[in-house]
């Protein structure tokens, strides 16, 4: 048994496909298949059920998979420790962001980090909130930036705390009011983000708590389109306060929601009990020193 067998087996099990694993590992499919067959022969068991379109773990395969993950975690931890000692200031950070969160917080933040640590590469990828947690849990990415609360499987570093506001057309009857109660919006047409967005669930839940089911006129995954529909009098929407300036449209007016206050807390998350490299620890420290909660 060797590390290569474990790594190939784990990747095929994760992807449920030899082809996808081949693309990720940059190893030919026949080579991966041969290595895993040898691994099964060595253990004298069948680890993968290849009878369907998707490759699935057998019962014994599930046990070996969990053990293999732990073994690889230990091996990768050794490699990270050695690299950390050999070259203290080099490394990379893979960061997952929800759409538009990058625009909200990270261009200036990452620019400052790169200036302080020029030899550390930061790779940013976008996922919706549900996928983002999945990828952090599977160690596909080092960190995620998402909305609290999250699963107890993660450590959290608070980033930004604010509330949701209602945006309306600048000629809307509510314009001129300093505050509005959420229940006052029960007869309005809502423009919501799609169900992939955590904001979708947050708004619907808040409305139900206020005593009504929102009348949904449109849904969209595009922030700019939501803004344009509000500007065109097609409905109202609820968005984080700091995102209002993103629309940059004089036909959009924001009003504070006085009751209830709908919290919107962003946090950096990472997997509990995961080995943190020097690079990862420095990234966390840098984020904490920026004190975004008071911005």
């Amino acid at each position: 048994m060797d590390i290569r067998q474990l790594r190939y087996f784990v990747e095929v099990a994760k992807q449920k496909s030899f082809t996808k694993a081949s693309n990720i590992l940059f190893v030919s499919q026949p080579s991966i298949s041969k290595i895993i067959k040898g691994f099964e022969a060595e253990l004298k068991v069948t680890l993968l059920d290849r009878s369907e379109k998707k490759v699935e773990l057998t019962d014994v395969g599930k046990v070996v998979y969990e053990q293999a993950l732990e073994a690889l975690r230990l091996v990768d931890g050794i490699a990270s420790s050695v690299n950390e000692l050999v070259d203290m200031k080099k490394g990379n950070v893979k960061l997952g962001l929800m759409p538009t969160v990058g625009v909200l917080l990270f261009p200036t933040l990452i620019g400052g980090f790169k200036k302080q640590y020029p030899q550390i590469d930061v790779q940013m990828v976008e996922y919706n909130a549900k996928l983002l947690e999945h990828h952090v849990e599977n160690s596909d990415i080092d960190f995620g930036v998402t909305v609290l609360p999250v699963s107890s499987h993660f450590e959290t570093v608070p980033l930004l705390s604010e509330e949701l506001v209602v945006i309306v057309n600048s000629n809307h009857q509510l314009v001129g009011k300093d505050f509005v109660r959420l229940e006052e919006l029960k007869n309005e047409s809502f423009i919501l983000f799609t169900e992939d967005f955590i904001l979708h669930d947050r708004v619907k839940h808040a409305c139900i708590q206020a005593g009504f089911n929102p009348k949904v006129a449109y849904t969209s995954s595009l922030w700019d389109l939501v803004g344009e529909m509000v500007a065109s009098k097609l409905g109202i929407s609820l968005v984080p306060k700091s995102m209002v300036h993103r629309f940059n449209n004089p036909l959009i007016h924001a009003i504070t929601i006085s009751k209830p206050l709908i919290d919107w807390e962003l946090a950096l998350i990472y997997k509990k009990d995961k080995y943190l490299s020097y690079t990862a620890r420095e990234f966390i420290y840098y984020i904490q020193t920026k004190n975004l909660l008071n911005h």
Side-chain angles (χ1 to χ4, degrees):
M1 184 184 303
D2 60 41
I3 294 302
R4 185 176 57 166
Q5 288 174 323
L6 296 180
R7 210 172 288 283
Y8 288 8
F9 165 65
V10 163
E11 197 59 48
V12 171
K14 275 186 181 180
Q15 303 303 324
K16 297 186 176 183
S17 165
F18 282 90
T19 302
K20 289 180 181 178
S22 171
N23 292 334
I24 290 170
L25 295 168
F26 298 103
V27 178
S28 72
Q29 187 173 330
S31 296
I32 293 177
S33 182
K34 182 179 178 181
I35 292 294
I36 292 178
K37 282 182 180 177
F39 187 32
E40 290 177 315
E42 187 177 330
L43 295 176
K44 297 187 172 87
V45 293
T46 300
L47 299 173
L48 298 169
D49 180 358
R50 303 162 174 84
S51 62
E52 302 294 335
K53 285 187 177 180
K54 281 188 177 180
V55 176
E56 298 287 351
L57 288 166
T58 62
D59 288 342
V60 70
K62 291 175 183 177
V63 174
V64 174
Y65 175 75
E66 294 300 324
Q67 296 293 324
L69 282 177
E70 180 64 17
L72 290 174
R73 186 186 70 79
L74 292 171
V75 169
D76 290 341
I78 293 170
S80 295
S81 298
V82 171
N83 290 336
E84 182 176 343
L85 291 171
V86 171
D87 197 345
M88 292 292 286
K89 291 287 185 179
K90 289 184 179 178
N92 60 77
V93 172
K94 194 167 185 181
L95 177 66
L97 302 169
M98 295 187 303
T100 73
V101 166
V103 175
L104 177 63
L105 288 176
F106 279 87
T108 302
L109 200 62
I110 297 302
F113 182 78
K114 284 291 290 180
K115 186 174 180 180
Q116 191 167 329
Y117 300 94
Q119 292 182 306
I120 295 178
D121 294 324
V122 180
Q123 181 183 357
M124 292 179 282
V125 290
E126 282 193 346
Y127 299 111
N128 67 52
K130 295 165 188 174
L131 270 179
L132 190 145
E133 288 189 34
H134 170 78
H135 286 296
V136 175
E137 175 73 19
N138 283 350
S139 298
D140 301 323
I141 53 180
D142 301 306
F143 301 103
V145 176
T146 189
V147 179
L148 296 178
V150 293
S151 161
S152 59
H153 296 157
F154 303 110
E155 300 286 358
T156 62
V157 179
L159 292 176
L160 182 67
S161 182
E162 55 181 340
E163 70 271 0
L164 299 185
V165 298
V166 57
I167 55 172
V168 300
N169 176 272
S170 57
N171 292 316
H172 195 281
Q173 61 182 358
L174 292 173
V175 172
K177 298 187 71 169
D178 293 328
F179 304 96
V180 64
R181 297 190 313 277
L182 187 57
E183 65 185 35
E184 294 179 62
L185 306 177
K186 63 183 178 182
N187 295 321
E188 299 286 345
S189 295
F190 280 72
I191 300 167
L192 297 184
F193 291 88
T194 59
E195 293 182 4
D196 288 340
F197 285 72
I198 217 164
L199 189 53
H200 176 98
D201 295 342
R202 186 63 56 86
V203 171
K204 290 198 76 172
H205 178 72
C207 290
I208 290 168
Q209 290 289 98
F212 69 96
N213 230 324
K215 293 188 295 184
V216 181
Y218 302 95
T219 61
S220 175
S221 61
L222 304 173
W223 283 81
D224 292 339
L225 182 56
V226 169
E228 288 300 318
M229 285 193 285
V230 170
S232 299
K233 302 182 181 180
L234 296 176
I236 66 168
S237 192
L238 270 61
V239 299
K241 186 176 182 179
S242 57
M243 287 305 301
V244 173
H245 75 278
R246 160 85 189 271
F247 297 116
N248 192 28
N249 189 326
L251 295 177
I252 293 176
H253 183 79
I255 306 169
T256 299
I257 298 171
S258 61
K259 185 180 179 182
L261 290 176
I262 309 172
D263 293 331
W264 184 254
E265 296 179 88
L266 289 177
L268 185 79
I269 65 170
Y270 57 96
K271 189 176 178 180
K272 269 187 179 175
D273 303 322
K274 178 182 177 180
Y275 170 81
L276 291 176
S277 66
Y278 168 84
T279 302
R281 294 198 302 271
E282 285 299 298
F283 186 75
I284 292 171
Y285 175 74
Y286 178 83
I287 294 294
Q288 289 173 324
T289 60
K290 296 298 103 178
N291 199 19
L292 293 173
L293 286 173
N294 293 328
H295 285 198

